[in-house]
Amino acid sequence: MTALLLVDGHYLLHRAWYGFAARITSRDKSVDRTGVFGFTALLRKAQAQHATDYEIFVVFDAEDGSQARAGQDSTYKAQRPAPEPGLIESLALVKHALDHSGVRWIEQEGCEADDVIATLATRARDDGRAVDIMTTDKDYIQLLADPSVRLLNTGLAQDRRYTAGEHILPRYSVLAEQWPDFRALMGDPADNIAGVRGIGPKTAARLLADGRRLLNIPADELRPSWAEQWPQVLRWREVIKLDTKTDLPDNLLTAAYTGPLPRAAHVLEALDLW
């Protein structure tokens, strides 16, 4: 079966927008093309180095994607600043570039990319396909309970780019399937989840020793102030959990490998963006 590379689209766009030493502009210097050029170039490089015989599929957050989780916790992602206008304008161009390059993508109304990727990864695994997820978002660690799912971070040195389930216990002292419990206890600044005051990664791992989950931590191991926060901790865990059964159109994945991607400069030329 063809292996699958699922790409966290907003992650890759942010990396493209902020990760280049110099801005990439149109020939008359009037329009910033860093977002679309960088995205296209980074995806092509990832394919060449890691996914030459893979199906590649890109997933974007919907504009209203975080509303459901914000309904569970009003502080969810509340600290994030509004994106720069040029970054938002690049998103539509990236989608045109993907269409031109023959890469399928989705932005599912009302959904965060995390849940769409989790659902597509689950579908692919049900079909016996290996799955890599291109992202730096640690929420995906919970999917690594399946040994055929890996995370790919091409921003790291070559020998450190893949994270698999076998790496999680030595690195964090918890199992991949315990990740929502672990993060609910210690917090997640990226999503504005505060965690329990006085609980850091070592204490969280100790409370979850031997594969325990939040609901079977002995009461005598919890300080009174921690126990008071337990309803909130359980809500945070639900916010962190990925939905592997998101309602998506059928046949999004084709199981056909994606052909060699064109150079970024050629894509921009074809789309008349220079």
Side-chain angles (χ1 to χ4, degrees), residues 157-172:
Q158 192 84 17
D159 62 347
R160 297 175 52 228
R161 290 184 176 181
Y162 286 107
T163 299
E166 66 193 47
H167 300 130
I168 303 308
L169 185 60
R171 193 173 297 175
Y172 299 104

Side-chain angles (χ1 to χ4, degrees), residues 87-237:
L87 181 63
I88 293 301
E89 291 164 4
S90 295
L91 183 57
L93 299 179
V94 164
K95 293 171 181 174
H96 289 315
L98 290 171
D99 290 339
H100 175 79
S101 303
V103 177
R104 292 163 66 84
W105 59 271
I106 189 172
E107 180 181 307
Q108 182 71 6
E109 184 177 352
C111 296
E112 291 190 81
D114 308 37
D115 296 319
V116 177
I117 287 175
T119 300
L120 292 176
T122 301
R123 289 184 182 180
R125 289 299 304 127
D126 287 345
D127 290 337
R129 303 173 65 186
V131 178
D132 290 342
I133 302 170
M134 188 175 176
T135 188
T136 56
D137 188 339
K138 287 187 170 65
D139 285 344
Y140 291 108
I141 285 175
Q142 59 197 276
L143 300 180
L144 301 183
D146 187 323
S148 292
V149 178
R150 303 182 297 181
L151 305 184
L152 172 63
N153 179 359
T154 58
L156 297 177
Q158 192 84 17
D159 62 347
R160 297 175 52 228
R161 290 184 176 181
Y162 286 107
T163 299
E166 66 193 47
H167 300 130
I168 303 308
L169 185 60
R171 193 173 297 175
Y172 299 104
S173 300
V174 294
L175 301 170
E177 53 264 37
Q178 293 175 286
W179 191 255
D181 305 67
F182 182 62
R183 292 298 258 187
L185 287 169
M186 63 171 284
D188 183 358
D191 288 341
N192 207 36
I193 292 172
V196 179
R197 187 178 182 86
I199 295 183
K202 290 183 179 179
T203 302
R206 175 176 59 78
L207 291 171
L208 297 171
D210 302 318
R212 293 190 304 205
R213 311 302 284 267
L214 291 178
L215 291 176
N216 51 28
I217 297 173
D220 61 6
E221 293 188 26
L222 301 178
R223 297 177 187 173
S225 62
W226 298 351
E228 289 175 6
Q229 293 186 64
W230 221 245
Q232 179 63 64
V233 174
L234 295 175
R235 283 195 293 274
W236 283 331
R237 183 185 63 175

